[in-house]
Amino acid sequence: MAKQKAFYFDASACIGCKACQIACKDKHDLPLGVRWRRVFEYGGGSWVEQNGVKVPSSLFSSYLSTACQHCESPVCRDVCPVQAITKREDGIVILDSEKCIGCRYCEWACPYSAPQFNEETKAMTKCHFCYDLQAQGLNPACVDACVMRCLDYGELDELRAKYGDLNEIEPLPTNEITNPALVITPHKHSQKSGEGTGRILNLEEEV
Amino acid sequence: MNKENMIQKALTDTVLTRRSFLKWSAALGGTAALAGGMNLGLKTVEAAAQTAAETDGKWVTVACWHNCGGRCLLKAHVVDGVVTRVKSDDTHPDSPNFPVQRACVRGRSQRMQVFGADRLKYPMKRKNWAPGGGKKELRGKDEWVRISWDEALDIFATETKRILDEHGNKSIYATSYGDAFGALYYDPISRIFSVLGGNVGAWGTVSWGAWPAPSIHMMGGFPSTNDRLDLQNSKLIVLWGANPAWSRQGNTTSFYMEAKRAGARIICVDPMYSATAKTLADEWIPCRPGTDTALLLAIAYHMIENNLQDQTFLDTYAVGFDRDHMPEGADPKENFKDYVLGKYDGTPKTPEWASEICGTHPSVIRSLSQQMATTKPAAFISSYAPARTNRGEQYAQAFFTVGWMTGNVGIPGGVVTWDPLPGGPPLVKLGPRGTSYKDNPVFPSKYLFPFPDPADETWTGLNWSEQWDAILNGEYTAGVRGKQPIDIRMIYHGHSAMLNQSPSLNKGIEAHRKVEFVVSASQFLTTNSKYADLVFPVTTYWERVGDLISANRESIFWWQQASQPLFEAKSDLEISLALAEKMGIDIEMIPFEQVIFNQVAGAEVIKPDGSGFEKLVTITADDIKEWGVEGEPQKGRISLKEFQEKGVYQVERKPGDRFTHIQLKAFRDDPVANPVGTPSGKLQIHSANLAGHIAAFGWDKIAPIAKYEPPVEGYEGTLDGEYPLQLWTPHYLRRSHSVFDNVTWLREAFPQEVWMNPIDAEARGIEQGDTIKITTKHGTALRHVKVDAGIMPGTIATGEGAWADRDDDTGIDMAGATNSLCGPVPTGQGVQGWNTTNAQVEKWTGKPIGADYKQPQRIIFGEEA
Ligand code: SF4
Ligand code: SF4
């Protein structure tokens, strides 16, 4: 198997605090409106009356912190008309904002909406897995930021050996399009992608 | 549109009206409104940061200094005096037993606060200010005029002296805490008033809610919660109203996660399916705010009915539970058990009785009671929040009582506590600062916590829930002295956020427009400063020489300076010295380097065998020379340079080590030799002293045992129709109280929404994302709604601390500051009952409000000025 760097996310421990998101913004000086790491809250359920008392009925909710999945088959790269997106030997998918012509096709194509547009520079930007920090032997900024220690990274096959091979929970899309390099430990409320009965509860915060 | 794209899909899947769909499309289309300075920091700093080469800088340990409930290590990457990035503790490998002191999302945003474009840059005065106040009604909407420091100091000195001469010390109201809570809360400027004879002080139970008096009278003080590692011995942890994921950031929630991994079952009792509950809880039990006492009484009922209480424990360690174990002199009829059974009042406190009040299903109450009584050892951990209610003392009484009924006291894995922060005596500690403190003769600092003695006839201080009424009406409540006259002419705000953060902002604004002179010292145009006449720009900790702090029992930090003072900002210490000089008074101050040195030299760490403490830091004669301070060389574990470089010293821990702390262990082991500090030496379920103490404050009365009586603006207040909802106001991750509210990154990440259950939303024709109008007896605000089944029907919530933005014409607060909605209702020991407010909500038919992070920053003077 080719080398492939991947993220690990423990949904059972995430508290949705966004330290990872802001650590990423700080590391990369991201402007407002650009979030390379997003933290979603996904849930559903309702309340019913039982002997005159309103009680929660199958209420569920959990968090998902997600960035670029550095997919094994990156559609963002495939659709870019100027080859601004490339996959490195270690599997990291990088985007050269200098080359980008701002057509935003990658943003549209990526099922995770990982590439994001910088209004100021009129170019796309994207998580590059802190390859600069990794080159110095350091961890990606988000991984070192998590107060619940639910982010990790490494070689995909090693992460799979350690944590299993789940890589699709709601609200992520199903994995067949891009083969995301992602390993997830589910929350007790996590639902399989495509079979979800809830909705993103904090959509406004993350678009 | 690509149907597979998760964002697009979520947008299409969401039930959206056409209007809101268009709004979303627009949001997706970009954020053009933000073009230019997209992070909204100081442009000069951003530009310098962009050109700075990452490799040239160095990492220094910097302060994260907020009253946030955590204390974490932050490091700043400094290049040529500019901070390009922050990171957290990386001084040793991270592990559950020996965790690094990891910073939260707010600490991670600290750079955007310190270098925000809205930093106050120059001293300034209100355009229509004149000695005596000028056009006082323009406070909050006047223009600002930049002035020199000399003029600013002069105005302060002249007006303060005039007011003192004409009206005396009791005409000056200073809202900061003075020195009582240590360096972080110390406002050196208010010392000026102390030297000049004192000022009227501000006091309130604030965050603590109604806990302090019951804790003193029922358990003899404030013993800290069990150690974090001991939590792993608990089989059951009940987190009552506690959401550490928001209120105790940094590592705290991970400690509970470790306890869960070690096998603890976790139950959260809360009006919200909170972030903590979602992640940690095996069971979430909803309970209406302000009604927890009823729920607890029903839990007790089930235990008593089934004889599940730990009777041996109660008989040995407590008084007041039943008629055979009453404290001396108490009426035997006034025992807790007979009250619960309804022997004398005819009302058995059954789960059915409680359910109608607290909204929890009777079967859930029974199950909770059964689990609490039969799972051992168990930890019952409340936050302060359920006691931040009108009549909150009854909750504290009930929580202690029911917790103690289970006997989980002083044993591994067992605790009954009101602090979710695991505790224990320090294993490493700083030396004394060596500074002296001039106390305020009018309101001594010992009365800031745990609040004034109502029987003492000498103090003059205004309670947070009564201050604005006192200023407006000329009368305050003075304990046993009853109502007393007061005539405030000057308000000084330093190091506080009083106007924004105390009940009834509307009355507060009125009070600010009444007095002759308002001065504020701040870093931004906070609500305090917005309504002031004269504003001093203050530096942040990053622009000061550094300091040390105790982070938790295992760690101490040493912070360094990261930047020069921005523009003309000065530290409040410098301002106080300049004011003293101007006013010709003497305030004693030792050089700050000496203050730092004293703490380092005096730092001590526990010996490995736990037999005592030893010096932490080795100091050489050269160090002393280099620092230019007074001191003696000494031997310790680490060198001064190493400590300074690392910025942290942390004691390594292991499960079962000799440093494990268990609350009240000595008492449990031998209650005769180690009594608690109550009159009986035992846990006092019945405390006549508590009831007497509360009555002496002069607001309301409580029984000596836990009884449920409906609080003002509690659930019962919703039943007559006008305000049918209960508003409560949690701590929110966007801020630490009001601090950070201006940070654009955090505004973007955490919108100031109002959570509302779909049942309540539907009944009002309200949909997700609508602008809603919230009305209470005390004010009105507009906000976006978050329709979420995770909040209990009949209750709404929004995070405390948003910076008020009141439209003077309509009286509507456009920012959703909770004190625009919460009322000043002093009860008990002077509690701020923020979690008991009755409200109504309607859909707003006017112009919808925009996203918070797109609102203009409060920039008074540009960088070019
Ligand atoms: S920092 Fe960790 S706990 Fe917080 S949102 Fe990110 S992944 Fe979740
Ligand atoms: S919890 Fe407090 S000290 Fe820790 S990083 Fe957050 S704001 Fe700073």
mmCIF file with all atom_site columns, all heavy atoms in Angstrom, chain A residues 85-101:
data_model
loop_
_atom_site.group_PDB
_atom_site.id
_atom_site.type_symbol
_atom_site.label_atom_id
_atom_site.label_alt_id
_atom_site.label_comp_id
_atom_site.label_asym_id
_atom_site.label_entity_id
_atom_site.label_seq_id
_atom_site.pdbx_PDB_ins_code
_atom_site.Cartn_x
_atom_site.Cartn_y
_atom_site.Cartn_z
_atom_site.occupancy
_atom_site.B_iso_or_equiv
_atom_site.pdbx_formal_charge
_atom_site.auth_seq_id
_atom_site.auth_comp_id
_atom_site.auth_asym_id
_atom_site.auth_atom_id
_atom_site.pdbx_PDB_model_num
ATOM 1   N N   . ILE A 1 85  ? -3.927 21.497 -7.488  1.00 0.00 ? 85  ILE A N   1
ATOM 2   C CA  . ILE A 1 85  ? -4.017 20.545 -6.368  1.00 0.00 ? 85  ILE A CA  1
ATOM 3   C C   . ILE A 1 85  ? -3.234 19.281 -6.711  1.00 0.00 ? 85  ILE A C   1
ATOM 4   O O   . ILE A 1 85  ? -3.393 18.723 -7.795  1.00 0.00 ? 85  ILE A O   1
ATOM 5   C CB  . ILE A 1 85  ? -5.487 20.190 -6.069  1.00 0.00 ? 85  ILE A CB  1
ATOM 6   C CG1 . ILE A 1 85  ? -6.271 21.477 -5.741  1.00 0.00 ? 85  ILE A CG1 1
ATOM 7   C CG2 . ILE A 1 85  ? -5.585 19.199 -4.917  1.00 0.00 ? 85  ILE A CG2 1
ATOM 8   C CD1 . ILE A 1 85  ? -7.754 21.280 -5.542  1.00 0.00 ? 85  ILE A CD1 1
ATOM 9   N N   . THR A 1 86  ? -2.402 18.883 -5.762  1.00 0.00 ? 86  THR A N   1
ATOM 10  C CA  . THR A 1 86  ? -1.589 17.687 -6.008  1.00 0.00 ? 86  THR A CA  1
ATOM 11  C C   . THR A 1 86  ? -1.598 16.803 -4.769  1.00 0.00 ? 86  THR A C   1
ATOM 12  O O   . THR A 1 86  ? -1.873 17.275 -3.665  1.00 0.00 ? 86  THR A O   1
ATOM 13  C CB  . THR A 1 86  ? -0.122 18.057 -6.326  1.00 0.00 ? 86  THR A CB  1
ATOM 14  O OG1 . THR A 1 86  ? 0.333  18.993 -5.349  1.00 0.00 ? 86  THR A OG1 1
ATOM 15  C CG2 . THR A 1 86  ? 0.013  18.672 -7.707  1.00 0.00 ? 86  THR A CG2 1
ATOM 16  N N   . LYS A 1 87  ? -1.304 15.550 -4.994  1.00 0.00 ? 87  LYS A N   1
ATOM 17  C CA  . LYS A 1 87  ? -1.203 14.614 -3.877  1.00 0.00 ? 87  LYS A CA  1
ATOM 18  C C   . LYS A 1 87  ? 0.264  14.260 -3.706  1.00 0.00 ? 87  LYS A C   1
ATOM 19  O O   . LYS A 1 87  ? 0.908  13.778 -4.632  1.00 0.00 ? 87  LYS A O   1
ATOM 20  C CB  . LYS A 1 87  ? -2.042 13.363 -4.174  1.00 0.00 ? 87  LYS A CB  1
ATOM 21  C CG  . LYS A 1 87  ? -2.228 12.466 -2.971  1.00 0.00 ? 87  LYS A CG  1
ATOM 22  C CD  . LYS A 1 87  ? -3.354 11.461 -3.214  1.00 0.00 ? 87  LYS A CD  1
ATOM 23  C CE  . LYS A 1 87  ? -3.455 10.418 -2.104  1.00 0.00 ? 87  LYS A CE  1
ATOM 24  N NZ  . LYS A 1 87  ? -3.912 10.949 -0.813  1.00 0.00 ? 87  LYS A NZ  1
ATOM 25  N N   . ARG A 1 88  ? 0.782  14.526 -2.513  1.00 0.00 ? 88  ARG A N   1
ATOM 26  C CA  . ARG A 1 88  ? 2.198  14.274 -2.279  1.00 0.00 ? 88  ARG A CA  1
ATOM 27  C C   . ARG A 1 88  ? 2.455  12.781 -2.082  1.00 0.00 ? 88  ARG A C   1
ATOM 28  O O   . ARG A 1 88  ? 1.528  11.998 -1.915  1.00 0.00 ? 88  ARG A O   1
ATOM 29  C CB  . ARG A 1 88  ? 2.663  15.030 -1.024  1.00 0.00 ? 88  ARG A CB  1
ATOM 30  C CG  . ARG A 1 88  ? 2.476  16.516 -1.131  1.00 0.00 ? 88  ARG A CG  1
ATOM 31  C CD  . ARG A 1 88  ? 2.862  17.325 0.100   1.00 0.00 ? 88  ARG A CD  1
ATOM 32  N NE  . ARG A 1 88  ? 3.381  16.616 1.251   1.00 0.00 ? 88  ARG A NE  1
ATOM 33  C CZ  . ARG A 1 88  ? 4.364  17.098 2.009   1.00 0.00 ? 88  ARG A CZ  1
ATOM 34  N NH1 . ARG A 1 88  ? 4.948  18.255 1.705   1.00 0.00 ? 88  ARG A NH1 1
ATOM 35  N NH2 . ARG A 1 88  ? 4.762  16.437 3.082   1.00 0.00 ? 88  ARG A NH2 1
ATOM 36  N N   . GLU A 1 89  ? 3.717  12.443 -2.033  1.00 0.00 ? 89  GLU A N   1
ATOM 37  C CA  . GLU A 1 89  ? 4.071  11.032 -1.858  1.00 0.00 ? 89  GLU A CA  1
ATOM 38  C C   . GLU A 1 89  ? 3.560  10.458 -0.546  1.00 0.00 ? 89  GLU A C   1
ATOM 39  O O   . GLU A 1 89  ? 3.248  9.280  -0.454  1.00 0.00 ? 89  GLU A O   1
ATOM 40  C CB  . GLU A 1 89  ? 5.592  10.871 -1.925  1.00 0.00 ? 89  GLU A CB  1
ATOM 41  C CG  . GLU A 1 89  ? 6.029  10.720 -3.345  1.00 0.00 ? 89  GLU A CG  1
ATOM 42  C CD  . GLU A 1 89  ? 7.438  10.199 -3.475  1.00 0.00 ? 89  GLU A CD  1
ATOM 43  O OE1 . GLU A 1 89  ? 8.133  10.058 -2.444  1.00 0.00 ? 89  GLU A OE1 1
ATOM 44  O OE2 . GLU A 1 89  ? 7.825  9.946  -4.613  1.00 0.00 ? 89  GLU A OE2 1
ATOM 45  N N   . ASP A 1 90  ? 3.478  11.316 0.457   1.00 0.00 ? 90  ASP A N   1
ATOM 46  C CA  . ASP A 1 90  ? 2.995  10.823 1.753   1.00 0.00 ? 90  ASP A CA  1
ATOM 47  C C   . ASP A 1 90  ? 1.469  10.829 1.811   1.00 0.00 ? 90  ASP A C   1
ATOM 48  O O   . ASP A 1 90  ? 0.877  10.549 2.851   1.00 0.00 ? 90  ASP A O   1
ATOM 49  C CB  . ASP A 1 90  ? 3.573  11.659 2.900   1.00 0.00 ? 90  ASP A CB  1
ATOM 50  C CG  . ASP A 1 90  ? 3.280  13.139 2.761   1.00 0.00 ? 90  ASP A CG  1
ATOM 51  O OD1 . ASP A 1 90  ? 2.515  13.524 1.837   1.00 0.00 ? 90  ASP A OD1 1
ATOM 52  O OD2 . ASP A 1 90  ? 3.802  13.937 3.563   1.00 0.00 ? 90  ASP A OD2 1
ATOM 53  N N   . GLY A 1 91  ? 0.822  11.150 0.703   1.00 0.00 ? 91  GLY A N   1
ATOM 54  C CA  . GLY A 1 91  ? -0.638 11.095 0.649   1.00 0.00 ? 91  GLY A CA  1
ATOM 55  C C   . GLY A 1 91  ? -1.312 12.422 0.943   1.00 0.00 ? 91  GLY A C   1
ATOM 56  O O   . GLY A 1 91  ? -2.520 12.578 0.750   1.00 0.00 ? 91  GLY A O   1
ATOM 57  N N   . ILE A 1 92  ? -0.551 13.405 1.423   1.00 0.00 ? 92  ILE A N   1
ATOM 58  C CA  . ILE A 1 92  ? -1.160 14.688 1.765   1.00 0.00 ? 92  ILE A CA  1
ATOM 59  C C   . ILE A 1 92  ? -1.561 15.421 0.483   1.00 0.00 ? 92  ILE A C   1
ATOM 60  O O   . ILE A 1 92  ? -0.774 15.497 -0.466  1.00 0.00 ? 92  ILE A O   1
ATOM 61  C CB  . ILE A 1 92  ? -0.189 15.556 2.603   1.00 0.00 ? 92  ILE A CB  1
ATOM 62  C CG1 . ILE A 1 92  ? 0.118  14.855 3.934   1.00 0.00 ? 92  ILE A CG1 1
ATOM 63  C CG2 . ILE A 1 92  ? -0.769 16.943 2.833   1.00 0.00 ? 92  ILE A CG2 1
ATOM 64  C CD1 . ILE A 1 92  ? 1.134  15.574 4.795   1.00 0.00 ? 92  ILE A CD1 1
ATOM 65  N N   . VAL A 1 93  ? -2.795 15.910 0.462   1.00 0.00 ? 93  VAL A N   1
ATOM 66  C CA  . VAL A 1 93  ? -3.294 16.639 -0.704  1.00 0.00 ? 93  VAL A CA  1
ATOM 67  C C   . VAL A 1 93  ? -3.090 18.130 -0.450  1.00 0.00 ? 93  VAL A C   1
ATOM 68  O O   . VAL A 1 93  ? -3.603 18.665 0.543   1.00 0.00 ? 93  VAL A O   1
ATOM 69  C CB  . VAL A 1 93  ? -4.784 16.325 -0.949  1.00 0.00 ? 93  VAL A CB  1
ATOM 70  C CG1 . VAL A 1 93  ? -5.316 17.148 -2.110  1.00 0.00 ? 93  VAL A CG1 1
ATOM 71  C CG2 . VAL A 1 93  ? -4.974 14.840 -1.196  1.00 0.00 ? 93  VAL A CG2 1
ATOM 72  N N   . ILE A 1 94  ? -2.315 18.761 -1.314  1.00 0.00 ? 94  ILE A N   1
ATOM 73  C CA  . ILE A 1 94  ? -2.050 20.190 -1.095  1.00 0.00 ? 94  ILE A CA  1
ATOM 74  C C   . ILE A 1 94  ? -2.554 21.024 -2.258  1.00 0.00 ? 94  ILE A C   1
ATOM 75  O O   . ILE A 1 94  ? -2.705 20.540 -3.374  1.00 0.00 ? 94  ILE A O   1
ATOM 76  C CB  . ILE A 1 94  ? -0.547 20.478 -0.854  1.00 0.00 ? 94  ILE A CB  1
ATOM 77  C CG1 . ILE A 1 94  ? 0.291  19.932 -1.995  1.00 0.00 ? 94  ILE A CG1 1
ATOM 78  C CG2 . ILE A 1 94  ? -0.091 19.928 0.481   1.00 0.00 ? 94  ILE A CG2 1
ATOM 79  C CD1 . ILE A 1 94  ? 1.727  20.400 -1.952  1.00 0.00 ? 94  ILE A CD1 1
ATOM 80  N N   . LEU A 1 95  ? -2.823 22.281 -1.954  1.00 0.00 ? 95  LEU A N   1
ATOM 81  C CA  . LEU A 1 95  ? -3.378 23.195 -2.943  1.00 0.00 ? 95  LEU A CA  1
ATOM 82  C C   . LEU A 1 95  ? -2.463 24.401 -3.036  1.00 0.00 ? 95  LEU A C   1
ATOM 83  O O   . LEU A 1 95  ? -2.129 25.015 -2.009  1.00 0.00 ? 95  LEU A O   1
ATOM 84  C CB  . LEU A 1 95  ? -4.781 23.612 -2.487  1.00 0.00 ? 95  LEU A CB  1
ATOM 85  C CG  . LEU A 1 95  ? -5.656 24.423 -3.430  1.00 0.00 ? 95  LEU A CG  1
ATOM 86  C CD1 . LEU A 1 95  ? -7.119 24.204 -3.087  1.00 0.00 ? 95  LEU A CD1 1
ATOM 87  C CD2 . LEU A 1 95  ? -5.341 25.907 -3.410  1.00 0.00 ? 95  LEU A CD2 1
ATOM 88  N N   . ASP A 1 96  ? -2.045 24.706 -4.228  1.00 0.00 ? 96  ASP A N   1
ATOM 89  C CA  . ASP A 1 96  ? -1.162 25.847 -4.426  1.00 0.00 ? 96  ASP A CA  1
ATOM 90  C C   . ASP A 1 96  ? -2.009 27.075 -4.749  1.00 0.00 ? 96  ASP A C   1
ATOM 91  O O   . ASP A 1 96  ? -2.483 27.247 -5.870  1.00 0.00 ? 96  ASP A O   1
ATOM 92  C CB  . ASP A 1 96  ? -0.190 25.524 -5.573  1.00 0.00 ? 96  ASP A CB  1
ATOM 93  C CG  . ASP A 1 96  ? 0.824  26.639 -5.787  1.00 0.00 ? 96  ASP A CG  1
ATOM 94  O OD1 . ASP A 1 96  ? 0.630  27.738 -5.210  1.00 0.00 ? 96  ASP A OD1 1
ATOM 95  O OD2 . ASP A 1 96  ? 1.804  26.404 -6.513  1.00 0.00 ? 96  ASP A OD2 1
ATOM 96  N N   . SER A 1 97  ? -2.202 27.922 -3.750  1.00 0.00 ? 97  SER A N   1
ATOM 97  C CA  . SER A 1 97  ? -3.086 29.085 -3.923  1.00 0.00 ? 97  SER A CA  1
ATOM 98  C C   . SER A 1 97  ? -2.557 30.046 -4.986  1.00 0.00 ? 97  SER A C   1
ATOM 99  O O   . SER A 1 97  ? -3.328 30.807 -5.575  1.00 0.00 ? 97  SER A O   1
ATOM 100 C CB  . SER A 1 97  ? -3.259 29.820 -2.601  1.00 0.00 ? 97  SER A CB  1
ATOM 101 O OG  . SER A 1 97  ? -3.908 29.002 -1.672  1.00 0.00 ? 97  SER A OG  1
ATOM 102 N N   . GLU A 1 98  ? -1.265 30.015 -5.226  1.00 0.00 ? 98  GLU A N   1
ATOM 103 C CA  . GLU A 1 98  ? -0.670 30.901 -6.238  1.00 0.00 ? 98  GLU A CA  1
ATOM 104 C C   . GLU A 1 98  ? -1.151 30.503 -7.643  1.00 0.00 ? 98  GLU A C   1
ATOM 105 O O   . GLU A 1 98  ? -1.414 31.344 -8.486  1.00 0.00 ? 98  GLU A O   1
ATOM 106 C CB  . GLU A 1 98  ? 0.857  30.798 -6.200  1.00 0.00 ? 98  GLU A CB  1
ATOM 107 C CG  . GLU A 1 98  ? 1.455  31.132 -4.843  1.00 0.00 ? 98  GLU A CG  1
ATOM 108 C CD  . GLU A 1 98  ? 1.644  32.628 -4.654  1.00 0.00 ? 98  GLU A CD  1
ATOM 109 O OE1 . GLU A 1 98  ? 2.412  33.213 -5.414  1.00 0.00 ? 98  GLU A OE1 1
ATOM 110 O OE2 . GLU A 1 98  ? 0.991  33.191 -3.731  1.00 0.00 ? 98  GLU A OE2 1
ATOM 111 N N   . LYS A 1 99  ? -1.246 29.176 -7.830  1.00 0.00 ? 99  LYS A N   1
ATOM 112 C CA  . LYS A 1 99  ? -1.678 28.676 -9.144  1.00 0.00 ? 99  LYS A CA  1
ATOM 113 C C   . LYS A 1 99  ? -3.191 28.827 -9.347  1.00 0.00 ? 99  LYS A C   1
ATOM 114 O O   . LYS A 1 99  ? -3.671 28.894 -10.476 1.00 0.00 ? 99  LYS A O   1
ATOM 115 C CB  . LYS A 1 99  ? -1.339 27.185 -9.258  1.00 0.00 ? 99  LYS A CB  1
ATOM 116 C CG  . LYS A 1 99  ? 0.025  26.876 -9.841  1.00 0.00 ? 99  LYS A CG  1
ATOM 117 C CD  . LYS A 1 99  ? 0.033  25.408 -10.263 1.00 0.00 ? 99  LYS A CD  1
ATOM 118 C CE  . LYS A 1 99  ? 1.450  24.924 -10.528 1.00 0.00 ? 99  LYS A CE  1
ATOM 119 N NZ  . LYS A 1 99  ? 1.513  23.469 -10.502 1.00 0.00 ? 99  LYS A NZ  1
ATOM 120 N N   . CYS A 1 100 ? -3.932 28.845 -8.231  1.00 0.00 ? 100 CYS A N   1
ATOM 121 C CA  . CYS A 1 100 ? -5.400 28.809 -8.283  1.00 0.00 ? 100 CYS A CA  1
ATOM 122 C C   . CYS A 1 100 ? -5.952 30.005 -9.049  1.00 0.00 ? 100 CYS A C   1
ATOM 123 O O   . CYS A 1 100 ? -5.520 31.136 -8.858  1.00 0.00 ? 100 CYS A O   1
ATOM 124 C CB  . CYS A 1 100 ? -5.949 28.804 -6.856  1.00 0.00 ? 100 CYS A CB  1
ATOM 125 S SG  . CYS A 1 100 ? -7.726 29.021 -6.747  1.00 0.00 ? 100 CYS A SG  1
ATOM 126 N N   . ILE A 1 101 ? -6.946 29.717 -9.915  1.00 0.00 ? 101 ILE A N   1
ATOM 127 C CA  . ILE A 1 101 ? -7.571 30.812 -10.666 1.00 0.00 ? 101 ILE A CA  1
ATOM 128 C C   . ILE A 1 101 ? -8.916 31.202 -10.065 1.00 0.00 ? 101 ILE A C   1
ATOM 129 O O   . ILE A 1 101 ? -9.653 32.022 -10.606 1.00 0.00 ? 101 ILE A O   1
ATOM 130 C CB  . ILE A 1 101 ? -7.749 30.435 -12.160 1.00 0.00 ? 101 ILE A CB  1
ATOM 131 C CG1 . ILE A 1 101 ? -8.500 29.089 -12.267 1.00 0.00 ? 101 ILE A CG1 1
ATOM 132 C CG2 . ILE A 1 101 ? -6.396 30.388 -12.867 1.00 0.00 ? 101 ILE A CG2 1
ATOM 133 C CD1 . ILE A 1 101 ? -9.008 28.772 -13.664 1.00 0.00 ? 101 ILE A CD1 1
#
